[in-house]
Amino acid sequence: MLCILLAATFVLMPSVSAKEYIAPTYEYTNNYYKVYGEPEIYASVIGDTEFERGETAQIRVMLSNKGVLYGFKSATVVETSGNAHQLSLTELQYEIQRTTAYGIKASLLSSTDLIEIDAATDSQTMEELRPGKLSKDPFIFTVTISDNAPAGMYLLEMPLNYEYVQDVRMTGGESVILGMPDLDHANYYETVEQTIQIPVVIMPEAKFEVSSVSGNITAGNTDTLNITYTNIGELPAEDAVARLIVMDPLSTDRSTQSLGTVQPGESSTVSFDITSDFQAVEKNYGIDSEIKYTDEDGEDAFSDNMKINVDLKQPERKLNITGLALVGLVVMGIVLIIKNRRKNGSNNSND
């Protein structure tokens, strides 16, 4: 007959240690009760799980055990007095601890490359967790959010592995045969595997990229560079201002240009006048750029650094008409001098 087990039924509960031996076979034990209930592990996150792109942060997870005993029933009929009766009561005291979870192992897994779990923290353990208790210390996992992660909710998986005492049987003195005379009962463990989902939210924001660049840069000249910025984020950027950071041999008289308010998916093009040194080496140069804007909370915000690559060319060298004429006169003069010398030499030989 199934009986309802109240929490106050037994006040003193002997502790059950983790497995330190191989449990004997059933033939050396007696079973007096069948108890119902097992650990129920839940997870809760301490602190905020809302992150920004590019952020490295910690997720702190507390575990709680909400396991309860649903009841018990007799497995063997015994007298209300005598040694067997005392053994049955002792077994019941052990049995009601079956909702304790032992040897808890937890890890955190991400199903997307956009969220990376630090390998040094992706597997952690806890010795035991009794019913009605919280873990003494949280499991701490380090995560890194990709710069390219779209805003939204992501579910991380936390697989749990633990054991609980699925059955307790009394040895009734038979343990002497096994060489363990002090063993009055045997624990038979059940392994449990479960997965808990941990939600992570990547916050929406404005996000910029350089979508196109046009214009030629020539050494020794001041040229116009046209740069198009696109808001690939989820929120508008108000009062956006684009800024260039240039270094020798490049320079600019005005390093900032207004983009105005740029809505998600919209683009804005601005022009910068870039001056290059006459002796600048012909190659590809990198120019850093960033955008300052006002976010949805009215606070100043800055985009990630964006790299703009531009090719610098040497100017084509052309000779003008005056130069060509001067070269021609010099050549003709040299020719006349040579002819005169040859003529004078010929006359001297005839004399």
Side-chain angles (χ1 to χ4, degrees), residues 265-333:
E266 289 186 349
S267 299
S268 181
T269 301
V270 289
S271 299
F272 293 91
D273 290 333
I274 306 297
T275 301
S276 58
D277 189 88
F278 181 77
Q279 296 181 339
V281 178
E282 181 175 291
K283 68 172 188 177
N284 182 275
Y285 287 85
I287 299 176
D288 290 324
S289 179
E290 66 178 6
I291 294 176
K292 177 183 177 182
Y293 62 94
T294 302
D295 63 19
E296 62 176 348
D297 297 323
E299 301 291 336
D300 288 340
F302 295 86
S303 70
D304 295 331
N305 181 71
M306 293 168 282
K307 185 72 70 174
I308 299 170
N309 295 312
V310 295
D311 289 323
L312 186 146
K313 303 292 185 182
Q314 287 289 338
E316 296 181 8
R317 308 301 181 184
K318 297 181 180 180
L319 294 176
N320 55 31
I321 296 176
T322 302
L324 290 174
L326 290 174
V327 172
L329 290 174
V330 172
V331 172
M332 290 178 63

Side-chain angles (χ1 to χ4, degrees), residues 36 39 97 134 142 146 177 180 189 191 201 211-212 220 232 253 293 305 325 337 339:
Y36 300 92
Q97 298 182 72
L134 288 171
T142 301
S146 169
I177 303 175
M180 295 178 288
Y189 291 83
T191 299
V201 177
S211 51
S212 69
I232 61 173
D253 290 336
Y293 62 94
N305 181 71
I337 292 172
K339 285 185 176 182

Side-chain angles (χ1 to χ4, degrees), residues 73-250:
K73 68 178 181 179
S74 297
T76 302
V77 177
V78 295
E79 300 293 332
T80 57
S81 62
N83 184 58
H85 177 67
Q86 184 60 45
L87 287 176
S88 69
L89 295 179
T90 303
E91 178 190 319
L92 192 56
Q93 293 181 40
Y94 289 128
E95 289 272 16
I96 63 177
Q97 298 182 72
R98 63 182 283 127
T99 52
T100 298
Y102 297 98
I104 302 173
K105 299 177 182 179
S107 58
L108 193 64
L109 304 177
S110 172
S111 60
T112 172
D113 294 336
L114 300 174
I115 301 178
E116 180 181 344
I117 313 297
D118 187 346
T121 65
D122 68 355
S123 182
Q124 301 183 38
T125 60
M126 179 185 303
E127 184 176 348
E128 68 176 29
L129 185 58
R130 294 184 174 277
K133 300 294 184 178
L134 288 171
S135 52
K136 180 179 179 182
D137 299 305
F139 289 152
I140 302 176
F141 303 96
T142 301
V143 300
T144 300
I145 311 300
S146 169
D147 289 329
N148 301 317
M153 179 181 289
Y154 296 78
L155 292 177
L156 304 181
E157 292 188 344
M158 189 174 72
L160 292 178
N161 181 289
Y162 60 89
E163 294 180 323
Y164 73 97
V165 180
Q166 189 269 340
D167 191 18
V168 178
R169 301 174 69 95
M170 305 303 292
T171 61
E174 296 292 337
S175 60
V176 175
I177 303 175
L178 303 175
M180 295 178 288
D182 296 330
L183 182 66
D184 68 334
H185 73 285
N187 294 329
Y188 298 87
Y189 291 83
E190 180 78 12
T191 299
V192 177
E193 295 181 353
Q194 72 176 98
T195 299
I196 298 175
Q197 291 184 327
I198 306 296
V200 170
V201 177
I202 299 178
M203 299 297 292
E205 61 182 353
K207 181 177 176 61
F208 284 92
E209 70 172 9
V210 174
S211 51
S212 69
V213 179
S214 63
N216 298 315
I217 304 297
T218 306
N221 290 345
T222 297
D223 302 290
T224 299
L225 199 63
N226 302 308
I227 305 174
T228 300
Y229 298 91
T230 301
N231 182 357
I232 61 173
E234 301 82 18
L235 298 178
E238 298 183 359
D239 302 324
V241 176
R243 175 172 175 252
L244 289 189
I245 304 171
V246 296
M247 302 181 67
D248 288 339
L250 305 179

